């Protein structure tokens, strides 16, 4: 009898622990829930998979590049016949990213694409960077940048470096072809 009561107490404590963790959907949960859903594509890859000439990197650029371990990508291909689903999914992602744990780094528009960059952590020790871009005609994409010793200043340096880099476009064809 004592053993049964003890087991019930443990089960109750465990259940309360899991339900009290909050109902907020995390970005990671959103990735997992949608990675095999219609109109979505998911891909994980190490930064080293993107071949880039680092011979002209400054020390700061090299440090920024080396602080990134991998990228998680989730894309949604917009279907012009189902704009409602696109808007619903964008609203879900924006709701997740509006959580106060996500810090704003920058937002901008480029040729009809709306892009937001956020991060988890603080200015010295950042756990994750998130790049969210959307376009009503193409869809949206979310990139989770994961690594060690990352910080916003390093990521801005890395983003500027990547803009100017001579990337092999064939490496990203699989993702880009998805949106066509």
């Amino acid at each position: 009898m004592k053993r049964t009561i003890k087991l019930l107490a443990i089960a109750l404590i465990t259940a309360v622990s899991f339900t009290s963790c909050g109902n907020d959907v995390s970005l990671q949960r959103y990735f997992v829930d949608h990675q095999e859903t219609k109109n979505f594509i998911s891909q994980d890859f190490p930064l080293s998979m993107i071949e880039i000439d680092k011979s002209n990197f400054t020390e700061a650029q090299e440090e920024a590049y080396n602080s990134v371990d991998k990228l998680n990508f989730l894309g949604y291909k917009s279907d012009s016949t189902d704009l409602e689903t696109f808007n619903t999914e964008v609203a879900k992602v924006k709701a997740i990213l509006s959580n106060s744990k996500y810090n704003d780094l920058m937002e901008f528009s480029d040729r009809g694409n709306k892009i937001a960059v956020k991060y988890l952590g603080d200015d010295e020790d950042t756990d994750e960077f998130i790049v969210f871009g959307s376009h009503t005609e193409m869809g949206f994409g979310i990139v989770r940048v994961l690594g060690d010793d990352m910080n916003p200043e390093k990521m801005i340096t890395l983003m500027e470096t990547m803009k100017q880099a001579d990337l092999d476009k064939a490496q990203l064809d699989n993702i880009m072809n998805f949106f066509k």
Side-chain angles (χ1 to χ4, degrees):
M1 182 72 170
K2 284 183 180 181
R3 183 179 169 142
T4 304
I5 292 173
K6 190 175 184 179
L7 288 173
L8 286 173
I10 291 171
L12 181 61
I13 290 169
T14 303
V16 168
S17 296
F18 282 120
T19 58
S20 66
C21 288
N23 294 327
D24 292 343
V25 176
S26 70
L27 193 56
Q28 182 174 357
R29 178 87 255 158
Y30 186 84
F31 267 62
V32 170
D33 289 347
H34 292 84
Q35 65 188 1
E36 294 183 19
T37 305
K38 179 183 174 196
N39 291 345
F40 280 89
I41 184 174
S42 176
Q43 189 165 359
D44 296 345
F45 49 94
L47 189 60
S48 61
M49 186 175 153
I50 301 173
E51 293 178 19
I52 187 169
D53 180 13
K54 296 177 281 211
S55 63
N56 294 324
F57 273 15
T58 66
E59 187 176 322
Q61 290 169 328
E62 181 81 27
E63 188 177 320
Y65 182 83
N66 290 332
S67 72
V68 176
D69 291 332
K70 70 177 183 174
L71 307 171
N72 299 135
F73 172 79
L74 181 70
Y76 176 82
K77 183 178 180 179
S78 185
D79 182 350
S80 60
T81 62
D82 194 4
L83 198 55
E84 185 177 326
T85 301
F86 168 78
N87 289 331
T88 300
E89 294 302 327
V90 167
K92 286 178 186 177
V93 173
K94 285 183 176 181
I96 292 168
L97 295 178
S98 70
N99 186 309
S100 62
K101 69 181 180 181
Y102 294 101
N103 300 300
D104 294 327
L105 185 58
M106 67 175 76
E107 270 188 47
F108 58 94
S109 292
D110 181 38
R111 293 177 265 174
N113 300 305
K114 296 176 186 171
I115 300 168
V117 182
K118 297 184 175 259
Y119 63 97
L120 283 170
D122 58 44
D123 291 345
E124 297 301 317
D125 184 26
T126 302
D127 301 320
E128 175 179 338
F129 284 89
I130 299 98
V131 180
F132 173 59
S134 67
H135 191 286
T136 54
E137 293 176 15
M138 293 178 58
F140 67 80
I142 310 163
V143 179
R144 296 175 63 219
V145 180
L146 307 167
D148 297 316
D149 298 323
M150 298 189 304
N151 69 45
E153 187 176 316
K154 286 181 185 178
M155 286 307 109
I156 291 173
T157 299
L158 183 59
M159 288 173 63
E160 292 300 319
T161 302
M162 297 301 268
K163 281 183 190 177
Q164 299 167 2
D166 184 24
L167 295 175
D168 180 1
K169 303 295 185 210
Q171 297 176 88
L172 304 175
D173 278 348
N174 186 32
I175 292 172
M176 295 313 292
N177 287 336
F178 173 76
F179 289 104
K180 291 181 180 176

